[in-house]
Amino acid sequence: MKLNDSQLMIVDQLTLLMRLVSIFVAVVLAFLILYANNFLIRRRKKELGLYTMLGMPRGKISRVLVYETLTIGIISLISGMILGLIVSQVLTAVTANLFAVPLDYHFVFSPSATIMTVFSFSMIFFITMIFNTMVLNRYKLIDLLNADRRNDDLKIKKVWMSLLLFAISIGCLSWAYYQALDNGIMAFNSLGTIILVGSIGTVLFFLSLAGFLLTVVKSSKGIYFKNLNCFILRQINSNINTNFISMSIVCIMLLLSIGALSTGLSLNNTMNKSIKNNTPYDYTIIAEYGYYPNGTKKNDGDLLLPDVIPRLQIDPSYIKSQSILTTYTSELKVSDKNLMAHISDKTGRQLIEDNGKESVIAIPLSSYNTVRKRLGYEPVKLKNNEIYLYTSVETLSPAVNDILDAKPEVTVFHNKVRVANDSYETISLGTNSSMNGYMLAMVVPDAAIPSNAEINEIYWNINLSSKTSCEKFDKYFDQQRDKLYEESPNEDVFPSFMRATKQDVYDMNKGMAVTFTYIGIYLGTVFMIASAVILALQQLSQANDNKKRYLILNKIGTEQRMINRSILLQIAIYFMMPLALAVVHSVVGIKMVNTLVTMFGRGDIMMSSFFTAAIILVIYGSYFLVTYAGYKNILKS
């Protein structure tokens, strides 16, 4: 990819982040493979018992398992590496498209990624081999031979206990949901407690579901005795009773998957949408004259930015147009009682109360309209006793909307004024990636600002000529500033400042968008596959145990169509139960996380939700169909 310096830095950071995430993913997959292996070993107990009874030493049986595992590992590694090599070429084009940069394509092979993959995979299968040997030595011969005759014990034998635990699980989940939704961004302060209580509620839900579901359906004779429903229900009841822990883990993994996909894609959309409003000019320099939190004045005693600019002697050929924009500190505080009285949003109230000493920043109407015109918005019109109120902190948007609905009267520069606007657009007064983070800002008529008003910030907004790039002007500006310092060595000529270029902001936003997209899709897809694999593995293993049951159904004359329908319903319900609860969890979780996402701008959660649903449909649906086909094939054999 043809990248500039800032894009290259972002790609380096993304590469490092992906490596760290890959270590986490490798650990998750290691547990998944160990779980799958343990599941299959338990299903092969009778086979291993027969080998032992026929005189094969435990050491040779362990060697057979090692050879099997090694063979499967080598085949998986080689086929996976080939597939990964092909897919990585496609990802190169996708990445270039996300960064919106030209791509000079040639075949790419990463030795470091290959070594990391081989090492991780080898370690996982080496641990699996050791685990197999340990498990085999632990079982007695009688346990191995009678494995297929043992029935799983009911975890809860009393119906009333199932109902009680079900009620407790609903209570735990309800409390966790309420805390997450009602406290807004402040819910993150008690995030650990919310996750713990939610996880306990999830485990109790699946633990009690077997007995609860059986009791509820049995109460309706028309449903229970229709077709093979009683048989299906007993099968599902047995599956949930045996695997409630794994179903709880699957549910939590699906929650993480849906959350990672939705949040990652939503942040991507949000960052891309905010680029326009963040970059009204090619180049912006901001000098701050307000106060630090400790009460010290910024740039105290320094010259004002407009007085310094002529002394820089900037070549006019570099600049197409330029403007100065000044913001002022008003006596109106963000926690003013006339504003707070109308705020019902709990998160907004808490944020404002925590920063109550901050002033509502005043912006001259003419300067604000200049920026709006630049971005293509209609100008704001105000009477002498009116102000236009807005926030650049999107988390405060509900609170500000409450104020706008009430249109209260407040005192600004010793004059009574009323909030006039019904809505607002969040725009940056200059090119700035952070949008300056004003908790509350108000646009006031120019005449309402007194000549002695305290300056907060001064923006020098520049549009460069076509022959000048942002990078070139950046270097030229530093040269001119250094000359000014040399000419006035004993004078604090130039105030401290922040600067931003349109290209830098664009690259930063694009880089963050790509990072969120990569991490979201990567983690979301891995958790989705891991969840589907666990469910599919459990069902296919159950198919072997259920051969005798389905053979009896066949002998008593049950139609194949009804048997196939019972298999389909059983697998569908088993796949859908953890997914359904995970979707409910994720609705609450995404809404909670969205309070943080809005700090980057207003995102469109609907589009990311549709995309997430499509990924779930493809991955989860594919494993469901493969499991259904595999289940039927096992029974046919």
Side-chain angles (χ1 to χ4, degrees), residues 456-628:
N456 180 61
E457 290 177 330
I458 298 179
Y459 292 73
W460 181 18
N461 292 321
I462 303 169
N463 286 315
L464 300 173
S465 61
S466 56
K467 72 171 189 177
T468 307
S469 66
C470 291
E471 189 176 359
K472 184 178 179 181
F473 183 78
D474 208 30
K475 292 178 181 177
Y476 173 73
F477 173 83
D478 284 338
Q479 290 174 0
Q480 296 302 107
R481 188 183 53 147
D482 291 342
K483 284 182 183 178
L484 186 59
Y485 281 138
E486 290 172 4
E487 292 171 1
S488 309
N490 299 321
E491 186 181 357
D492 240 356
V493 180
F494 209 89
S496 62
F497 65 94
M498 299 181 295
R499 61 176 148 189
T501 71
K502 178 179 283 190
Q503 187 62 49
D504 285 344
V505 173
Y506 181 84
D507 291 342
M508 185 181 297
N509 281 32
K510 275 290 181 183
M512 290 181 71
V514 172
T515 301
F516 291 138
T517 303
Y518 259 84
I519 301 302
I521 292 178
Y522 184 28
L523 289 180
T525 304
V526 167
F527 283 127
M528 184 69 64
I529 291 174
S531 304
V533 165
I534 290 174
L535 295 177
L537 190 63
Q538 288 175 347
Q539 286 299 294
L540 293 175
S541 299
Q542 291 287 341
N544 271 319
D545 295 346
N546 293 334
K547 276 185 179 182
K548 294 178 181 178
R549 297 183 179 94
Y550 280 101
L551 183 61
I552 293 171
L553 288 177
N554 189 267
K555 285 182 176 180
I556 62 175
T558 307
E559 296 178 3
Q560 188 61 43
R561 177 178 59 82
M562 291 183 70
I563 292 176
N564 289 342
R565 179 178 173 274
S566 76
I567 297 170
L568 182 64
L569 277 176
Q570 177 183 326
I571 297 173
I573 293 171
Y574 195 74
F575 267 71
M576 285 304 298
M577 278 192 296
L579 178 61
L581 185 57
V583 168
V584 176
H585 285 351
S586 63
V587 168
V588 177
I590 290 170
K591 190 166 182 180
M592 180 179 172
V593 173
N594 205 43
T595 58
L596 285 180
V597 174
T598 53
M599 296 178 71
F600 297 94
R602 299 178 189 179
D604 183 8
I605 198 70
M606 288 302 296
M607 284 302 297
S608 60
S609 298
F610 282 131
F611 194 83
T612 301
I615 293 177
I616 293 173
L617 188 64
V618 171
I619 296 177
Y620 210 67
S622 298
Y623 273 97
F624 166 73
L625 293 175
V626 168
T627 303
Y628 174 60

Side-chain angles (χ1 to χ4, degrees), residues 35-196:
Y35 174 83
N37 178 75
N38 183 49
F39 214 87
L40 292 173
I41 289 293
R42 285 195 287 119
R43 297 301 172 187
R44 294 177 64 186
K45 283 181 183 178
K46 185 175 181 180
E47 174 195 343
L48 300 176
L50 287 172
Y51 294 156
T52 304
M53 191 173 67
L54 291 171
M56 183 182 287
R58 290 286 178 100
K60 286 192 175 182
I61 298 175
S62 296
R63 217 177 304 157
V64 169
L65 293 176
V66 167
Y67 292 154
E68 287 181 4
T69 305
L70 185 62
T71 304
I72 293 169
I74 291 172
I75 294 171
S76 301
L77 180 60
I78 293 173
S79 57
M81 293 290 288
I82 293 171
L83 184 61
L85 197 59
I86 295 169
V87 173
S88 68
Q89 310 307 310
V90 179
L91 274 177
T92 303
V94 171
T95 307
N97 183 61
L98 288 171
F99 271 105
V101 296
L103 176 66
D104 179 19
Y105 176 75
H106 58 275
F107 185 81
V108 177
F109 175 75
S110 172
S112 61
T114 304
I115 292 169
M116 184 177 178
T117 302
V118 172
F119 175 76
S120 301
F121 207 76
S122 301
M123 285 299 296
I124 291 170
F125 273 84
F126 178 71
I127 293 169
T128 303
M129 292 175 192
I130 296 174
F131 183 81
N132 284 345
T133 304
M134 291 171 60
V135 169
L136 184 62
N137 292 330
R138 194 179 68 195
Y139 288 119
K140 297 178 181 178
L141 177 60
I142 189 67
D143 294 329
L144 295 173
L145 292 174
N146 292 329
D148 63 337
R149 297 182 184 180
R150 289 189 61 186
N151 293 320
D152 295 309
D153 296 327
L154 283 172
K155 300 297 185 294
I156 303 174
K157 299 180 180 180
K158 302 290 185 182
V159 173
W160 67 267
M161 181 62 74
S162 293
L163 295 175
L164 177 61
L165 289 178
F166 187 80
I168 294 173
S169 72
I170 297 300
C172 289
L173 294 176
S174 299
W175 183 88
Y177 293 163
Y178 176 77
Q179 292 296 318
L181 296 176
D182 186 62
N183 293 327
I185 198 169
M186 301 306 160
F188 286 92
N189 295 332
S190 55
L191 183 60
T193 306
I194 292 173
I195 292 174
L196 177 62

Side-chain angles (χ1 to χ4, degrees), residues 328-330 332-334 339 358-362 389 440-442:
Y328 300 89
T329 302
S330 70
L332 180 65
K333 303 300 181 183
V334 295
L339 300 176
E358 285 192 16
S359 296
V360 180
I361 302 304
L389 190 72
L440 286 179
M442 58 183 172

Side-chain angles (χ1 to χ4, degrees), residues 401-412:
N401 287 330
D402 288 340
I403 297 172
L404 299 186
D405 291 340
K407 293 187 169 39
E409 190 175 70
V410 293
T411 301
V412 177

Side-chain angles (χ1 to χ4, degrees), residues 247-532:
M247 289 190 76
S248 302
I249 293 171
V250 166
C251 179
I252 293 170
M253 283 202 300
L254 287 171
L255 163 63
L256 294 174
S257 175
I258 296 170
L261 286 167
S262 299
T263 305
L265 295 171
S266 176
L267 277 168
N268 176 36
N269 294 333
T270 300
M271 297 300 298
N272 285 331
K273 284 182 178 180
S274 67
I275 291 177
K276 176 191 172 184
N277 285 347
N278 283 8
T279 55
Y281 300 95
D282 293 334
Y283 198 96
T284 294
I285 289 176
I286 307 171
E288 298 180 321
Y289 296 91
Y291 289 86
Y292 293 107
N294 63 6
T296 307
K297 189 172 178 60
K298 301 174 182 177
N299 283 318
D300 188 23
D302 290 346
L303 294 174
L304 294 179
L305 185 59
D307 298 328
V308 181
I309 292 172
R311 297 175 64 175
L312 287 170
Q313 298 180 352
I314 300 292
D315 186 343
S317 64
Y318 281 94
I319 298 176
K320 181 180 178 181
S321 63
Q322 58 182 313
S323 61
I324 298 292
L325 189 155
T326 304
T327 64
Y328 300 89
T329 302
S330 70
E331 77 275 25
L332 180 65
K333 303 300 181 183
V334 295
S335 59
D336 185 274
K337 62 181 181 179
N338 294 319
L339 300 176
M340 292 289 289
H342 307 287
I343 299 176
S344 60
D345 179 65
K346 194 172 182 179
T347 300
R349 288 189 69 89
Q350 187 65 51
L351 282 175
I352 289 173
E353 287 171 0
D354 290 345
N355 299 274
K357 293 182 180 180
E358 285 192 16
S359 296
V360 180
I361 302 304
I363 304 162
L365 178 61
S366 59
S367 299
Y368 186 71
N369 279 336
T370 300
V371 182
R372 287 180 66 90
K373 183 180 178 181
R374 176 77 187 166
L375 291 170
Y377 295 116
E378 290 294 319
V380 170
K381 295 179 181 179
L382 295 173
K383 296 178 182 178
N384 289 335
N385 64 337
E386 291 179 338
I387 62 171
Y388 177 100
L389 190 72
Y390 75 97
T391 179
S392 57
V393 180
E394 286 297 335
T395 310
L396 284 177
S397 182
V400 173
N401 287 330
D402 288 340
I403 297 172
L404 299 186
D405 291 340
K407 293 187 169 39
E409 190 175 70
V410 293
T411 301
V412 177
F413 298 122
H414 309 295
N415 296 314
K416 292 286 185 182
V417 294
R418 185 174 295 279
V419 176
N421 53 312
D422 297 312
S423 59
Y424 65 92
E425 290 86 23
T426 304
I427 63 174
S428 179
L429 301 177
T431 293
N432 193 338
S433 59
S434 65
M435 302 192 69
N436 270 357
Y438 290 142
M439 290 197 69
L440 286 179
M442 58 183 172
V443 182
V444 300
D446 292 34
I449 300 176
S451 58
N452 63 345
E454 189 175 275
I455 295 174
N456 180 61
E457 290 177 330
I458 298 179
Y459 292 73
W460 181 18
N461 292 321
I462 303 169
N463 286 315
L464 300 173
S465 61
S466 56
K467 72 171 189 177
T468 307
S469 66
C470 291
E471 189 176 359
K472 184 178 179 181
F473 183 78
D474 208 30
K475 292 178 181 177
Y476 173 73
F477 173 83
D478 284 338
Q479 290 174 0
Q480 296 302 107
R481 188 183 53 147
D482 291 342
K483 284 182 183 178
L484 186 59
Y485 281 138
E486 290 172 4
E487 292 171 1
S488 309
N490 299 321
E491 186 181 357
D492 240 356
V493 180
F494 209 89
S496 62
F497 65 94
M498 299 181 295
R499 61 176 148 189
T501 71
K502 178 179 283 190
Q503 187 62 49
D504 285 344
V505 173
Y506 181 84
D507 291 342
M508 185 181 297
N509 281 32
K510 275 290 181 183
M512 290 181 71
V514 172
T515 301
F516 291 138
T517 303
Y518 259 84
I519 301 302
I521 292 178
Y522 184 28
L523 289 180
T525 304
V526 167
F527 283 127
M528 184 69 64
I529 291 174
S531 304

